[in-house]
Amino acid sequence: MYVGHVGVALGAKRSVPGVALLWLIVAAYLPDWTDAALCISGKYRDTGMLSHSLPAGALLMLLAAAVALLATGDRFAAAVVAAVVVSHLPLDYVSGLKPTWPGGPAIGLQIYTRPVVDFATEAIVIAAGWVLYTRSLPAGLRRWNESHVMLAALLGMQLAADVARLLYPSINKC
Amino acid sequence: MTPLPTAEIQLASLLLPPSVIGDLRFIGALALVTLVPAWLDWRLRRGGKSSNTSSH
């Protein structure tokens, strides 16, 4: 999943208004940031075992929860951050084909192969998260057009990603 | 028949190895999707604060 993960971060913002949205988004993409680090170090493998498998997800979840607990001193905030990190895996099992555990099967619905279906699915996740996010805003801000700009920007980025996937279906992460 | 690469890709390939281009594309996409909503949220909350301040 691409922009759909932002939807999870937006939804979580309602539960932990004290945690900056930036850190919730970083948490939502932690397995992908791990892949980015692996790309740079030259250790990236298409299987995603080191970033997107269940053991890797559990490790990243514990790491993020520990950092959040140290930074905020709030156990609930740490639990929400942990949940945001772990949400990455089920969403990617919907969109792609991801590993389970070493020696285990790779599973997933692979809707990436159908960009229209992928866009519709990610748009639902984005919109649901955005609705929760707007409810977290103070009453005076809810009417402000900027929150709608965010929804439009997120859907626009997702549309661009799906069009790119249509044009270049064999494009890899790195 | 394999389509010829565009002039831009040819130029980029002269400057950077393909693996680096791939890394930059992936990290750029991640950075974009991380920073754009975070920046819009910051603007939204800052805009709300300044409009609240100016109304009092």
Side-chain angles (χ1 to χ4, degrees), chain A residues 69-110:
Chain A
L69 187 59
L70 282 173
T72 65
D74 182 346
R75 285 184 184 180
F76 178 71
V80 170
V81 168
V84 169
V85 171
V86 105
S87 74
H88 192 100
L89 300 186
L91 290 177
D92 273 10
Y93 285 138
V94 172
S95 59
L97 187 66
K98 297 294 176 184
T100 46
W101 52 84
I107 59 172
L109 298 178
Q110 296 190 79

Side-chain angles (χ1 to χ4, degrees), chain A residues 23-38:
Chain A
W23 300 121
L24 290 171
I25 298 173
V26 169
Y29 284 94
L30 204 53
D32 285 337
W33 282 112
T34 305
D35 272 346
L38 291 169

